[in-house]
Amino acid sequence: MNSKQTKNTPITILEDVFGTTKDGVTVKRFKMNNENGMEVSIITYGGIITSLKVPNKNNVSEDVVLGYNLLSDYEKSTPYFGALIGRYGNRIAKGKFSIDGKEYTLQANDGPNHLHGGVKGFDKVVWSAEVLNDVGALKLSYLSKDMEEGYPGNLHTEVIYTLTNDNVLEVFYRATTDKKTIVNLTQHSYFNLSGDFSKPILDHIVSINANKFIPVDANLIPTGKLKDVANTPFDFREPKKIGQEINIEHEQLKRGLGYDHCWVLNDQNQAMRFTASAHEPNSGRLLEVFSSEPGIQLYTGNFLDGTLPNKQGGTYAYRTGFCLETQHYPDSPNQKEFPSTILKPGEVYSSKTSFKFSIK
Ligand code: BGC
């Protein structure tokens, strides 16, 4: 990494207008620049990271996240490109869960299941924004009202994106409620570290700090059992290419159409620790993900099919992006053995994930 950096050089944050929603709401964009060639653009619609420019081994900064140039494309159809996900990231079986004996029903927006917060989740609402210049951060806030998308309780949510001169983008989540509810927030960036969105991500070399993963049923709901990764294609304890075993005969790969699973991260004590990495050898870019969360979903863009426009004039073909979504396990509200996702009044939900970029 460039060594000229100093802790004292401020991050610059510039604001402009990204577009207007079909309901007439102005969507702002914030561009955060550090002194090592990294530039992150975030919009108030969905808290979406629309672009993330990172230097390659020749010090050329290129965009490494999938997304669109136009707000109208995000409004039309998006597989959650770059978005904040809430109130509950990942799936809830049949959209049903109970708290203290009272059953709640959420929208089934993914076959029989509820996915990523519903029809209008946190990825499709306009957040309030505040620039925190002194710490190089952007604070987004959103009040999700009692029973919005079927979830109980008024949930005050804050997400703080911080860029540092060490090429780290940190995402800090905080939420409070006035009624018992469930919360599982995440960030849904699709990475392609080559900077070329026409290239599949199969040559990225990935590692995941997990001895176990969570097998799923035919609807991608956890069976409830955790499985050792040893001797399965889910073993990423030693770095290997995403594509190395993605197409082998394996029931879990068949169900996910590739990798679309949550790994049970090692060292679960709520503290930040290394969770996963991805290295793209041609560009030299290395992404390391640190988090306080117990799980991480690796999704390999198995539903991308060449129909959505990319930012470089083409379309997003099969497996041209991958997500590393730090989170609690899917369907936790219905799985007693999984760490709880319940938030009670008086408690504070807090969670942190850092995306660190360097050259290897
Ligand atoms: C899920 C995929 C889903 C994708 C949305 C991921 O987080 O695991 O199953 O298709 O989001 O496009």
Side-chain angles (χ1 to χ4, degrees), residues 318-357:
Y318 188 47
R319 295 184 175 156
T320 47
F322 66 93
C323 305
L324 284 168
E325 306 154 48
T326 53
Q327 57 188 237
H328 273 56
Y329 310 157
D331 198 35
S332 295
N334 296 309
Q335 309 251 2
K336 288 198 183 60
E337 308 293 314
F338 289 0
S340 171
T341 49
I342 298 248
L343 182 70
K344 300 179 189 147
E347 291 178 347
V348 178
Y349 168 95
S350 76
S351 166
K352 208 199 260 187
T353 293
S354 294
F355 300 95
K356 179 174 177 23
F357 293 89

Side-chain angles (χ1 to χ4, degrees), residues 22-40:
K22 45 184 190 311
D23 300 332
V25 181
T26 302
V27 171
K28 296 178 187 168
R29 170 173 55 186
F30 295 86
K31 278 192 186 170
M32 310 169 80
N33 277 272
N34 74 4
E35 62 164 22
N36 280 313
M38 207 168 139
E39 182 189 87
V40 186

Side-chain angles (χ1 to χ4, degrees), residues 100-359:
D100 296 338
K102 184 168 169 24
E103 187 176 82
Y104 294 93
T105 303
L106 311 169
Q107 295 263 7
N109 60 334
D110 182 65
N113 302 317
H114 178 84
L115 175 68
H116 291 336
V119 172
K120 191 172 180 185
F122 290 7
D123 59 298
K124 292 183 187 68
V125 300
V126 179
W127 296 64
S128 304
E130 187 188 343
V131 172
L132 308 176
N133 270 317
D134 48 338
V135 285
L138 176 70
K139 177 163 135 185
L140 300 177
S141 321
Y142 177 66
L143 168 63
S144 168
K145 298 252 176 69
D146 187 23
M147 295 314 287
E148 188 173 302
E149 291 292 322
Y151 293 96
N154 288 295
L155 189 79
H156 282 269
T157 308
E158 278 176 14
V159 176
I160 301 179
Y161 284 110
T162 307
L163 178 64
T164 74
N165 280 322
D166 306 330
N167 286 3
V168 174
L169 176 66
E170 181 188 284
V171 193
F172 174 71
Y173 308 83
R174 185 180 189 279
T176 54
T177 184
D178 58 2
K179 253 191 215 166
K180 259 194 201 176
T181 189
I182 54 171
V183 189
N184 187 27
L185 306 178
T186 190
Q187 221 295 332
H188 210 291
S189 282
Y190 286 65
F191 298 97
N192 186 327
L193 300 178
S194 75
D196 179 349
F197 300 145
S198 67
K199 281 197 188 141
I201 43 73
L202 299 175
D203 286 342
H204 285 61
I205 298 164
V206 162
S207 76
I208 303 177
N209 180 25
N211 297 338
K212 290 179 190 292
F213 77 104
I214 304 177
V216 291
D217 68 14
N219 289 318
L220 301 187
I221 295 295
T223 59
K225 298 206 174 69
L226 309 182
K227 193 168 170 13
D228 285 339
V229 295
N231 305 313
T232 76
F234 293 81
D235 192 351
F236 282 93
R237 291 173 298 176
E238 290 299 322
K240 71 175 184 219
K241 283 188 182 171
I242 292 181
Q244 192 166 310
E245 293 170 310
I246 200 169
N247 290 323
I248 72 172
E249 268 296 307
H250 190 283
E251 193 185 32
Q252 285 298 316
L253 288 174
K254 230 184 259 167
R255 290 185 177 167
L257 303 174
Y259 296 108
D260 192 356
H261 294 77
C262 190
W263 271 253
V264 176
L265 290 165
N266 296 338
D267 316 318
Q268 298 198 354
N269 58 6
Q270 296 293 303
M272 290 284 276
R273 81 299 199 197
F274 172 76
T275 66
S277 66
H279 175 226
E280 201 282 308
N282 280 327
S283 65
R285 290 189 183 95
L286 171 69
L287 163 64
E288 293 165 286
V289 183
F290 299 81
S291 184
S292 59
E293 283 298 312
I296 196 164
Q297 181 95 359
L298 169 64
Y299 167 59
T300 47
N302 312 315
F303 295 111
L304 297 175
D305 60 2
T307 52
L308 302 171
N310 77 23
K311 290 182 270 184
Q312 299 169 338
T315 59
Y316 291 115
Y318 188 47
R319 295 184 175 156
T320 47
F322 66 93
C323 305
L324 284 168
E325 306 154 48
T326 53
Q327 57 188 237
H328 273 56
Y329 310 157
D331 198 35
S332 295
N334 296 309
Q335 309 251 2
K336 288 198 183 60
E337 308 293 314
F338 289 0
S340 171
T341 49
I342 298 248
L343 182 70
K344 300 179 189 147
E347 291 178 347
V348 178
Y349 168 95
S350 76
S351 166
K352 208 199 260 187
T353 293
S354 294
F355 300 95
K356 179 174 177 23
F357 293 89
S358 60
I359 297 299

